[in-house]
């Protein structure tokens, strides 16, 4: 049995790469594991050798100490890998399959799964609907920023790539299917993006850039990305987006300069609860700023997709209300404009096969759009530091040297 190393959250601002147990098909007790999940048998699962496992902005919230994540939690929910062992009840997935692992853990049996709502599965997390690998309050499933990880309900959850060599040649793109590409795309779909749409995407981090690429794939006429970070705005412009620097003032005014009108058809919030203010207030955290901005710049009758993360517990919030997820949003403005809103985890399985096809047949270059940057697993602490400092990159951890050695390298 091989060893296993993983990225472990130690305390706010610090992660380390440590040796952990090789995964098995029975859940063990550990940091963040719900007691009702301890001893749970997962013979429907597989062991995956992680070919690529990415650092996500959602991980960064935990590492900053902005959630109730416990020390010792193994991180990582963006997993692409090779199946190296199957549980006794696995029927269709085979050893040797190269697969994408949706970050949502879903049973495939409950009402929500059967309705395609895999982000809020009722059977995998005793705390609440919905689960994910290596994430706070998500049931305690061990994370996949590791050499090996167990994936439950494998026949249901896994997306098997049809051709191994073709997949390895595009592995930097395909690793985005586990989360950020479907998540950004979901934000656009729920916002009603279509052919000829004008779209405002708040946030030029990886999810925002993925949303912008998704909007282009859906046929948007103009995609405008707003952020404070000039390097990330330059990355958005590198694949044809317009940009607004929100540190320079109200996005509404800058949108009017671009479009001739101050509103767009559709908007996507790809920032979430650690949002900052705009203009002279851009150095101050204002958690409701983006939500209020997207309502302001979306035309009456439009829709807003909100894939950006909002939490029910934020110990680092600036006021008592925000610590429990209560924000001062202008719901009256949204009501007056008859806006529609869509929130919550992206149900990855709703989109990942179609987006895989778009990648494999050269309809989109998502790795280029988000500036995918492979680094060894042992360099994960550096990746976290640089990402937290605002690097215009999507860090792809490469535990076995496959990504750096692939045809895409």
């Amino acid at each position: 049995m091989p060893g296993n190393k993983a990225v472990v959250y130690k305390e706010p601002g610090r992660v380390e790469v440590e040796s952990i147990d090789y995964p098995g098909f029975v859940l063990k007790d550990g940091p963040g594991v719900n007691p009702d999940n301890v001893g749970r048998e997962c013979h429907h699962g597989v062991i995956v050798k992680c070919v690529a496992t990415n650092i996500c902005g959602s991980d960064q919230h935990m590492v900053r100490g902005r959630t109730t994540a416990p020390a010792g939690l193994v991180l990582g929910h963006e997993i692409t890998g090779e199946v190296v062992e199957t549980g006794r009840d696995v029927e269709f997935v085979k050893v040797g399959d190269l697969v994408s692992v949706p970050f949502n853990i879903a049973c495939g049996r409950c009402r929500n799964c059967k309705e395609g709502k895999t982000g809020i599965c009722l059977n995998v997390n005793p705390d609440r609907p919905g689960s994910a690998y290596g994430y706070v309050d998500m049931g305690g499933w061990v994370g996949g920023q590791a050499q090996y990880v167990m994936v439950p309900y494998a026949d249901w959850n896994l997306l098997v790539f049809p051709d191994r060599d073709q997949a390895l040649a595009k592995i930097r793109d395909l690793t985005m299917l586990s989360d950020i590409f479907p998540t950004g795309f979901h934000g656009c779909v729920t916002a009603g993006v279509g052919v000829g749409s004008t779209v405002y995407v708040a946030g030029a981090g990886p999810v925002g850039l993925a949303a912008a690429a998704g909007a282009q794939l859906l046929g948007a006429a103009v995609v405008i990305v707003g952020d404070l970070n000039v390097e990330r705005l330059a990355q958005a412009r590198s694949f044809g987006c317009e940009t607004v620097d929100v540190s320079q003032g109200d996005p509404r005014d800058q949108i009017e300069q671009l479009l001739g009108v101050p509103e767009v058809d559709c908007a996507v919030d790809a920032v979430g609860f650690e949002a900052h203010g705009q203009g002279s207030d851009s150095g101050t955290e204002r958690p409701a700023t983006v939500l209020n901005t997207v309502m302001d710049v979306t035309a009456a009758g439009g829709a807003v997709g909100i894939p950006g993360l909002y939490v029910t517990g934020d110990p680092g919030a600036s006021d008592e209300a925000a610590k429990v997820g209560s924000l001062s949003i202008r719901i009256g403005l949204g009501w007056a404009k008859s806006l529609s809103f869509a929130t919550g985890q992206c149900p990855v399985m709703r989109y990942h096969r179609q987006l895989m096809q778009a990648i494999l047949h050269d309809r989109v270059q998502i790795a280029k759009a988000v500036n995918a940057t492979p680094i060894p697993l042992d360099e994960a602490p550096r990746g976290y530091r640089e990402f937290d400092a605002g690097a215009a990159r999507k860090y792809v951890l490469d535990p076995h040297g496959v990504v750096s050695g692939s045809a895409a390298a």
Side-chain angles (χ1 to χ4, degrees):
M1 181 181 295
N4 195 19
K5 294 196 298 184
V7 181
V8 178
Y9 170 64
K10 305 298 288 186
E11 62 183 6
R14 184 163 70 96
V15 300
E16 293 182 0
V17 179
E18 299 181 350
S19 294
I20 66 168
D21 290 341
Y22 187 82
F25 296 116
V26 178
L27 295 191
K28 299 178 180 179
D29 197 7
V33 179
N34 187 291
D36 291 338
N37 263 353
V38 175
R40 184 171 184 162
E41 296 187 359
C42 299
H43 302 295
H44 42 65
V46 300
I47 308 301
V48 168
K49 176 183 176 181
C50 299
V51 169
T53 174
N54 313 331
I55 297 175
C56 180
S58 299
D59 299 319
Q60 200 73 65
H61 294 307
M62 290 188 290
V63 174
R64 291 187 187 119
R66 296 301 296 271
T67 71
T68 55
L73 184 72
V74 177
L75 300 171
H77 57 270
E78 299 191 10
I79 307 162
T80 306
E82 178 186 354
V83 176
V84 294
E85 184 180 351
T86 61
R88 70 172 187 224
D89 298 333
V90 176
E91 185 176 2
F92 303 112
V93 174
K94 306 300 182 187
V95 170
D97 284 344
L98 203 63
V99 298
S100 179
V101 183
F103 79 90
N104 322 111
I105 301 173
C107 72
R109 297 154 165 80
C110 71
R111 171 182 174 174
N112 284 349
C113 283
K114 290 179 178 180
E115 292 177 353
K117 302 172 184 175
T118 54
I120 44 174
C121 173
L122 300 173
N123 288 331
V124 289
N125 181 4
D127 289 317
R128 65 183 68 170
S131 191
Y133 304 89
Y135 210 83
V136 60
D137 294 333
M138 289 292 184
W141 299 86
V142 177
Q145 285 175 13
Q147 292 173 310
Y148 298 90
V149 67
M150 191 275 286
V151 174
Y153 303 103
D155 283 327
W156 168 252
N157 281 302
L158 293 178
L159 174 67
V160 179
F161 299 137
D163 181 276
R164 182 184 181 87
D165 291 339
Q166 183 188 34
L168 286 173
K170 293 182 178 290
I171 196 66
R172 296 189 190 188
D173 296 278
L174 294 171
T175 192
M176 304 306 158
L177 292 174
S178 59
D179 182 357
I180 67 163
F181 194 14
T183 292
F185 193 79
H186 178 64
C188 293
V189 169
T190 55
V193 177
V195 175
S197 296
T198 58
V199 186
Y200 177 67
V201 178
V207 170
L209 296 173
Q216 292 175 337
L217 189 61
L218 287 165
V222 183
V223 181
I224 303 169
V225 180
D227 205 292
L228 303 161
N229 184 314
V230 294
E231 291 184 3
R232 290 181 172 181
L233 290 173
Q235 182 63 27
R237 289 192 295 273
S238 75
F239 60 98
C241 299
E242 301 287 349
T243 59
V244 299
D245 184 342
V246 299
S247 71
Q248 301 304 306
D250 190 339
R252 188 180 176 91
D253 297 333
Q254 297 179 63
I255 289 170
E256 185 169 20
Q257 293 174 16
L258 291 167
L259 299 179
V261 293
E263 293 179 323
V264 292
D265 301 322
C266 321
V268 177
D269 172 3
V271 177
F273 73 105
E274 287 193 71
H276 284 68
Q278 298 164 173
S280 61
D281 201 27
S282 60
T284 304
E285 191 167 300
R286 296 282 187 260
T289 294
V290 172
L291 289 171
N292 289 327
T293 295
V294 292
M295 284 192 283
D296 188 39
V297 303
T298 303
V304 175
I306 309 174
L309 176 67
Y310 289 88
V311 294
T312 57
D314 176 9
S318 57
D319 60 67
E320 292 303 311
K323 287 181 179 179
V324 294
S326 181
L327 308 180
S328 298
I329 63 171
R330 297 180 63 193
I331 192 65
L333 174 63
W335 190 94
K337 297 177 77 172
S338 294
L339 300 180
S340 299
F341 302 88
T343 65
Q345 287 188 38
C346 165
V348 170
M349 294 174 68
R350 191 177 298 174
Y351 307 105
H352 64 174
R353 183 185 178 278
Q354 299 96 309
L355 295 177
M356 175 190 73
Q357 292 289 83
I359 289 169
L360 293 177
H361 295 282
D362 299 317
R363 299 296 297 167
V364 64
Q365 294 180 302
I366 188 63
K368 183 178 180 181
V370 302
N371 195 16
T373 304
I375 60 174
L377 182 69
D378 287 340
E379 293 185 22
R382 172 177 69 85
Y384 271 95
R385 289 193 301 271
E386 293 179 0
F387 188 36
D388 191 44
R393 299 177 181 274
K394 175 66 173 177
Y395 285 101
V396 177
L397 302 180
D398 187 8
H400 299 278
V402 174
V403 179
S404 298
S406 71

